[in-house]
Amino acid sequence: MAHKVGVIGGDGIGPEVISEGLKVIESSGVDLEIHDYDLGGERYLRDGTILPDSILEEWKGLDVLYLGAVGTPDVPPGVIERGLLLKMRFELDLYINLRPFIASKGKRTDGHDFIVIRENTEGTYAGEGGLLRKGTPHEIATQGSVNTRYGVERCVKYAFDLSRSRPRKHLTLVHKTNVLTFSGDLWERTFYDVAEEYPDVEIAYNHIDAACIYFVENPQRYDVVVTDNLFGDILTDLGGAISGGIGLASSANLNPKRTSPSMFEPVHGSAPDIVGTGQANPTAAILSGALMLDFLNESEAARKIEKACAKPETQNGTTRQIGDAIAALV
Ligand code: IPM
Ligand code: MN
């Protein structure tokens, strides 16, 4: 049976890289039933639509969502981010943001050398806070961080399960417990409580600032990393930079309970400066497609795609040429 996929090409290079991703998946022989959604900054500028509840309802009938990139320079910051991307994460309860990396600086391998599990529905992204006396000399801005035992525990458990399934069985908690003594305390206690159920998984703890050094100098020390929403956002851009660039960085926004569709997207943005030039590397989108196939239990096709992306000869040329070369190998 064909898997039902909601496709949001989005803005800028988003549609270009997604069409290569769909081409590669097609070449793997996996059957997709595509449902196209015109959403993003361009759509918002045209008619004010961001993400209506009716579309969210429709999505509940789909298996997965595949997104290119959203964002246009003419839309003020936050509108599309909060209204579309974060709304998807919150409303579909996509509480795991999974981002795999290749540890050997820029040298591509066909394995995922380490994976960051970022909590995706809480922390500073919950939007707690506000402005008081805005625009006056006495204005106040607060921006809180929401951390629940429930939210932290389900994320940490997912990370332990993932670590257990990998050969090294090693999990590092990254936080800033020496300064964020409230949320850090909850994360740390939850981490060590859950660890008792996983005696076979080796554990470690790093402060976020130290982790930034280790990412650059010795990423091989990591197998699975679990961290909060904002630390995970920053650390995964660094992860992309040390492992071949953001053009290769893939991600999955997962609802592991499968009560609504999970969403798969490259880590990079819409890059309006290179739209239409053929300079966008579609590999991040293609690898995100492989993560999507894994989630759909099409692991054989996923491994084939990852292997093809790892071959250096597929990594030259324009957006379409790279897509064609990967599809040919698959
Ligand atoms: C990411 C992006 C988003 C985030 C933005 C666009 C809201 O940077 O997926 O990492 O901060 O999560
Ligand atoms: Mn980011």
Side-chain angles (χ1 to χ4, degrees):
M1 250 208 351
H3 304 288
K4 295 193 183 94
V5 184
V7 174
I8 307 123
D11 302 310
I13 61 169
E16 301 172 16
V17 296
I18 282 299
S19 78
E20 299 309 314
L22 290 171
K23 183 202 294 174
V24 170
I25 293 172
E26 215 167 278
S27 75
S28 78
V30 173
D31 226 0
L32 301 183
E33 182 187 304
I34 306 282
H35 299 253
D36 256 311
Y37 289 91
D38 173 17
L39 295 171
E42 295 295 340
R43 172 75 191 267
Y44 171 70
L45 289 175
R46 217 178 321 123
D47 68 7
T49 301
I50 305 177
L51 178 54
D53 291 342
S54 58
I55 291 187
L56 268 173
E57 266 318 297
E58 267 176 56
W59 283 351
K60 304 228 159 121
L62 301 177
D63 297 317
V64 284
L65 298 164
Y66 190 32
L67 183 141
V70 291
T72 331
D74 303 338
V75 181
V79 174
I80 300 299
E81 289 85 346
R82 276 218 165 268
L84 181 58
L85 287 176
L86 299 192
K87 189 170 175 186
M88 284 170 85
R89 292 175 187 175
F90 295 133
E91 295 294 322
L92 304 175
D93 205 18
L94 308 177
Y95 63 88
I96 297 297
N97 194 320
L98 179 151
R99 296 184 166 179
F101 297 103
I102 297 147
S104 41
K105 300 182 184 176
K107 194 174 135 265
R108 292 181 199 100
T109 66
D110 59 0
H112 296 146
D113 288 354
F114 68 107
I115 299 182
V116 175
I117 299 299
R118 159 185 177 191
E119 201 293 320
N120 213 26
T121 54
E122 299 194 338
T124 45
Y125 282 68
E128 193 213 55
L131 285 159
L132 194 59
R133 308 192 202 102
K134 187 175 173 177
T136 75
H138 298 281
E139 68 182 331
I140 301 168
T142 64
Q143 191 97 47
S145 175
V146 176
N147 298 264
T148 69
R149 174 79 194 200
Y150 167 78
V152 174
E153 189 169 309
R154 64 182 183 171
C155 174
V156 164
K157 275 194 168 147
Y158 181 91
F160 269 103
D161 281 329
L162 177 67
S163 309
R164 174 175 270 174
S165 75
R166 292 164 59 83
R168 260 179 78 191
K169 302 191 196 319
H170 187 280
L171 177 63
T172 307
L173 171 66
V174 169
H175 209 282
K176 186 73 185 176
T177 55
N178 53 344
V179 173
L180 305 184
T181 49
F182 309 132
S183 60
D185 183 43
L186 177 61
W187 271 86
E188 201 174 29
R189 277 185 292 111
T190 306
F191 184 72
Y192 291 121
D193 284 351
V194 174
E196 297 201 356
E197 296 163 39
Y198 296 82
D200 51 324
V201 176
E202 200 188 329
I203 53 173
Y205 171 80
N206 291 157
H207 289 319
I208 178 67
D209 45 355
C212 289
I213 297 179
Y214 297 142
F215 259 50
V216 173
E217 298 203 329
N218 184 19
Q220 288 79 8
R221 69 192 283 144
Y222 295 113
D223 180 26
V224 180
V225 171
V226 64
T227 190
D228 92 341
N229 209 338
L230 185 58
F231 293 144
D233 175 49
I234 299 165
L235 201 55
T236 54
D237 266 23
L238 184 56
I242 59 156
S243 52
I246 205 81
L248 302 181
S250 57
S251 83
N253 295 263
L254 301 175
N255 173 331
K257 298 171 296 181
R258 296 177 188 254
T259 51
S260 46
S262 292
M263 190 271 261
F264 300 81
E265 56 167 348
V267 175
H268 65 67
S270 56
D273 49 323
I274 59 165
V275 67
T277 64
Q279 286 178 68
N281 187 339
T283 307
I286 294 169
L287 288 172
S288 303
L291 292 174
M292 180 167 86
L293 292 182
D294 261 328
F295 191 76
L296 293 168
N297 294 316
E298 301 280 5
S299 304
E300 205 183 306
R303 295 292 83 69
K304 270 199 242 167
I305 293 172
E306 283 168 1
K307 283 221 167 79
C309 290
K311 294 256 191 286
E313 68 265 27
T314 61
Q315 293 296 315
N316 300 309
T318 63
T319 309
R320 186 169 305 157
Q321 284 165 341
I322 294 175
D324 284 343
I326 293 169
L329 279 180
V330 169

